[in-house]
Amino acid sequence: GDAANKKFFVLTREFFTYWDTQEDMENGEPQKALIELSGIKEFKETADGFELVVEGQKRTLQLQVIEKTEQAIWVNHWRDQVAESLGDKFQATSTVADAEKAAAEVAAAEAEAGEAVDE
């Protein structure tokens, strides 16, 4: 069975948090989980997302990106926040250049969709 649940994640300088939906976040609902970045011990990019080893948690947190193009962008944000402190415990295959290319693709796609998406 497919055990993956769709969530809305937010990464800041200090925390990695999630809500069930973007609407929940926008409506001021409390987040479902909050992980301090200082508690992250390992980061590893996978074929379809990334894995986090969090202090005090027995199992590795496995996250999948919904849009493949966004993976490099996510990894790049993680690189900015934790790569320095993790050293060789930060493992990523995508590069900053990949992230820049992906961001340009996303921006182009959004520009193309334009007002059609605006509800």
Side-chain angles (χ1 to χ4, degrees):
D2 186 7
N5 289 318
K6 216 169 157 178
K7 302 284 183 219
F8 182 76
F9 287 94
V10 176
L11 176 65
T12 67
R13 287 175 191 271
E14 294 175 16
F15 302 109
F16 183 52
T17 60
Y18 75 82
W19 288 261
D20 284 333
T21 64
Q22 184 171 351
E23 288 72 35
D24 283 356
M25 183 202 78
E26 288 168 354
N27 294 334
E29 299 286 334
Q31 61 265 61
K32 293 287 179 183
L34 183 145
I35 297 168
E36 287 190 42
L37 295 196
S38 57
I40 292 172
K41 298 301 165 206
E42 284 180 43
F43 176 97
K44 183 181 180 194
E45 185 175 0
T46 59
D48 58 1
F50 46 90
E51 295 179 348
L52 303 173
V53 174
V54 182
E55 194 172 40
Q57 290 193 13
K58 286 191 172 67
R59 55 192 201 100
T60 302
L61 190 59
Q62 298 180 320
L63 298 157
Q64 293 176 320
V65 291
I66 293 166
E67 296 291 335
K68 188 67 181 144
T69 45
E70 291 180 4
Q71 179 157 334
I73 299 171
W74 268 106
V75 170
N76 205 37
H77 287 310
W78 280 104
R79 183 181 284 113
D80 288 346
Q81 304 300 355
V82 301
E84 205 173 306
S85 58
L86 290 180
D88 62 0
K89 297 285 187 193
F90 181 89
Q91 297 176 0
T93 48
S94 58
T95 64
V96 175
D98 290 335
E100 288 167 355
K101 183 170 168 251
E105 283 175 24
V106 169
E110 283 174 358
E112 210 170 287
E115 296 302 309
V117 185
D118 200 18
E119 291 177 18

